[in-house]
Amino acid sequence: MKMNENELQANLRLLQEKFRASGQDMNSYLQGLMHSNYLTYWDYIHLDTLLTLQQPKTSFPDEKIFILYHQITELYFKLCLNELEQIPERSSDADFLLSRLKRLTAYFSALTHSFQIMIEGMEPEQFLQFRMALLPASGFQSAQYRMIEIRATPLQNLLQFELRESTEAAGSTTQLLENIYWGRGAAELLTGNKTLTLRQFEGKYGAEFLRLAEEMKGKTLYEVFQGLPESDRQRTDLREALRTFDRQVNIDWPLMHYKSAVRYLKREPEDIAATGGTNWQKYLAPKNQMRIFFPELWTEQERKEWGRH
Ligand code: HEM
């Protein structure tokens, strides 16, 4: 880019003002600039580090696909959280909400479609062997997945289905978290006790979930929408975007995920146990979980048939 002398002087003056305002000497910074290197792509995105983060536990080549795809998913979850975190800050701006919802649905659409990589992309013989080296770890322990849920809707909507309407389960945030669907779902098949996978998960993230749930009171995506003026709440584009997000997170993605469990773990006469120890056939099917972030945006019939189509 060509810059004439006047522009250069103007920019230098602006820079000088900036440094003066914070009590800094611009000349020293300019000298520093003389010695600093140009930025490279690989340093900027920490590519070398990123590509060292795939460390298989076995020598089956398909294990790398499993690790990489989980990492890709976690990065998409991080993209989602990046949007969700901004929403409470602009809670009265319906256009902003819509623009962020469009990003969220784009991310989840990519996640849902790419899940085919898990369903078709690994040899079952390899999967069934390398998974044994991963016990008792499970995608169940994805904290970002839960944070998306906690930011999307009040905890009441995330209770185990049977408890959702009951006032017994309601109460303090701690009480609500005790009855959250995932805490109830991860019980040992024989004893009904919490699985080791769940105990480890709660040990690491329990306090963080509690803090986040407290912080999100009245500020979840659903509550931000509910707090908008009636004219905004009736906007078709906004309602459609919310419904799409709800369907993607609570039906489309879980269905693809469920299909992967069926592909690898369904066996006659007896299914294979999940690494996280849940009754996965029952637990993972969206029609059993009946998780709905924004209940008022669905008809009674739609809610009844949740995840059945
Ligand atoms: C072959 C691929 C996969 C299989 C067979 C599979 C299997 C399972 C099973 C059986 C569960 C239930 C918990 C348990 O008992 O372990 C589970 C939970 C979960 N997995 Fe996967 N999974 C796969 C890939 C993934 C991927 C790529 C992700 C991305 C992060 C993921 C994220 C999750 C999450 C978030 C849960 C909790 C779901 C819930 O609580 O509703 N899984 N998975």
Side-chain angles (χ1 to χ4, degrees):
M1 191 176 66
K2 249 187 161 172
M3 200 183 273
N4 68 33
E5 206 49 37
N6 289 345
E7 267 180 294
L8 188 62
Q9 293 300 332
N11 278 336
L12 275 176
R13 262 196 309 278
L14 284 172
L15 257 186
Q16 203 150 23
E17 275 166 32
K18 172 192 156 160
F19 283 110
R20 203 175 286 144
S22 37
Q24 302 292 297
D25 172 32
M26 183 178 82
N27 260 332
S28 309
Y29 280 88
L30 287 181
Q31 276 174 30
L33 210 52
M34 293 288 285
H35 303 299
S36 66
N37 290 323
Y38 290 115
L39 187 63
T40 59
Y41 168 76
W42 51 89
D43 280 339
Y44 182 56
I45 64 158
H46 296 277
L47 188 58
D48 291 344
T49 308
L50 185 65
L51 299 181
T52 58
L53 298 177
Q54 296 73 41
Q55 303 287 341
K57 296 272 175 231
T58 70
S59 49
F60 293 104
D62 285 6
E63 192 190 341
K64 227 177 227 176
I65 304 173
F66 193 65
I67 295 176
L68 274 161
Y69 189 71
H70 276 83
Q71 291 178 339
I72 290 167
T73 305
E74 288 293 342
L75 289 176
Y76 269 100
F77 287 166
K78 193 161 183 179
L79 282 171
C80 292
L81 287 168
N82 191 41
E83 305 306 333
L84 285 165
E85 282 160 16
Q86 296 172 51
I87 288 172
E89 290 160 22
R90 304 262 301 262
S91 58
S92 55
D93 186 343
D95 287 331
F96 179 77
L97 182 59
L98 179 62
S99 73
R100 287 342 191 226
L101 275 164
K102 284 189 175 159
R103 292 184 188 177
L104 286 164
T105 52
Y107 303 148
F108 254 90
S109 167
L111 278 177
T112 304
H113 289 111
S114 63
F115 216 93
Q116 206 60 32
I117 293 172
M118 286 287 93
I119 301 172
E120 295 289 339
M122 297 180 295
E123 287 180 10
E125 296 71 28
Q126 290 193 40
F127 175 80
L128 289 177
Q129 294 183 76
F130 71 67
R131 70 189 279 281
M132 302 314 283
L134 321 177
L135 287 161
S138 165
F140 178 91
Q141 294 171 320
S142 166
Q144 292 201 104
Y145 186 74
R146 312 303 181 192
M147 288 176 188
I148 290 172
E149 297 180 310
I150 295 172
R151 287 185 174 276
T153 195
L155 288 185
Q156 188 71 32
N157 293 331
L158 298 173
L159 295 183
Q160 195 189 20
F161 181 62
E162 296 75 43
L163 301 174
R164 228 166 280 169
E165 302 301 325
S166 100
T167 44
E168 240 172 82
S172 67
T173 309
T174 311
Q175 231 171 331
L176 286 166
L177 279 172
E178 266 164 24
N179 291 305
I180 206 94
Y181 77 88
W182 73 72
R184 292 300 192 103
E188 279 173 4
L189 294 178
L190 290 180
T191 60
N193 294 337
K194 286 182 182 186
T195 60
L196 174 60
T197 306
L198 174 61
R199 282 184 277 129
Q200 284 182 331
F201 187 47
E202 287 180 342
K204 174 145 174 74
Y205 295 110
E208 204 173 330
F209 290 154
L210 182 60
R211 189 201 50 74
L212 180 64
E214 285 289 351
E215 181 194 324
M216 293 316 296
K217 270 188 186 166
K219 296 186 192 160
T220 63
L221 175 52
Y222 193 28
E223 289 157 302
V224 166
F225 168 74
Q226 288 174 319
L228 290 172
E230 179 64 16
S231 54
D232 284 332
R233 269 187 286 134
Q234 291 310 325
R235 275 175 61 168
T236 319
D237 50 1
L238 198 52
R239 295 175 81 86
E240 251 337 288
L242 283 160
R243 279 164 57 98
T244 304
F245 185 56
D246 208 349
R247 200 193 55 236
Q248 286 175 327
V249 183
N250 292 317
I251 301 179
D252 300 347
W253 187 86
L255 258 186
M256 292 300 276
H257 177 256
Y258 180 63
K259 276 192 197 171
S260 71
V262 169
R263 163 111 211 270
Y264 298 100
L265 305 179
K266 182 120 198 83
R267 287 289 182 279
E268 298 294 348
E270 211 168 289
D271 292 343
I272 297 167
T275 51
T278 62
N279 180 356
W280 64 267
Q281 305 88 327
K282 190 160 174 279
Y283 175 66
L284 288 183
K287 68 175 166 37
N288 295 335
Q289 293 184 326
M290 292 281 270
R291 287 197 304 259
I292 307 178
F293 286 162
F294 318 122
E296 76 173 48
L297 295 182
W298 303 93
T299 63
E300 205 184 325
Q301 188 65 15
E302 285 171 326
R303 290 202 298 267
K304 221 183 267 171
E305 292 171 1
W306 196 252
R308 283 174 199 278
H309 293 298

